[in-house]
Amino acid sequence: MLSILIFFVIGLFIALVFLNVYFRYKVLKSYRLLIKNRIEFSAVHLFNKEKMAAEILPKYPQHQDIIKEFASHFDYSLKMASVIITLITILGGILMYFRE
């Protein structure tokens, strides 16, 4: 049982690393396009979709796809990383319990 839990924790760490590399590539690719087109917005706009739709998208109508893609990749990467970190923490707690 203990070895299975250790295997899952190691697998989740590896998944977290690959997730980080994959989304870093996706987010940075979109970010380069935003910088190239001089599109600026704050972190508040990334986390509040209504504010993004009301303030930023009308300001840059020709680049809406790039902005939505960047926000989507950013949001999804945060959610996936949060889930994996939560699972690692739970399994780590279980491992600590069984070790004693």
Side-chain angles (χ1 to χ4, degrees), residues 75-87:
D75 186 45
Y76 190 66
S77 69
L78 284 178
K79 287 178 185 175
M80 290 300 294
S82 298
V83 167
I84 291 175
I85 289 171
T86 303
L87 287 173

Side-chain angles (χ1 to χ4, degrees), residues 15-82:
L16 186 63
V17 169
F18 282 118
L19 181 81
N20 184 12
V21 169
Y22 175 74
F23 278 111
R24 190 170 290 227
Y25 171 75
K26 288 287 193 179
V27 169
L28 286 177
K29 183 178 154 187
S30 299
Y31 184 70
R32 282 188 209 118
L33 290 172
L34 293 175
I35 295 298
K36 181 181 172 186
N37 293 311
R38 297 178 189 245
I39 300 170
E40 296 180 7
F41 52 89
S42 67
V44 174
H45 296 104
L46 278 175
F47 296 113
N48 189 343
K49 293 186 189 273
E50 292 91 27
K51 233 178 182 180
M52 174 76 82
E55 296 174 9
I56 300 301
L57 294 179
K59 195 173 178 183
Y60 305 103
Q62 66 275 21
H63 301 295
Q64 285 186 5
D65 294 338
I66 299 169
I67 296 168
K68 288 179 183 178
E69 179 183 333
F70 175 76
S72 170
H73 287 310
F74 188 83
D75 186 45
Y76 190 66
S77 69
L78 284 178
K79 287 178 185 175
M80 290 300 294
S82 298

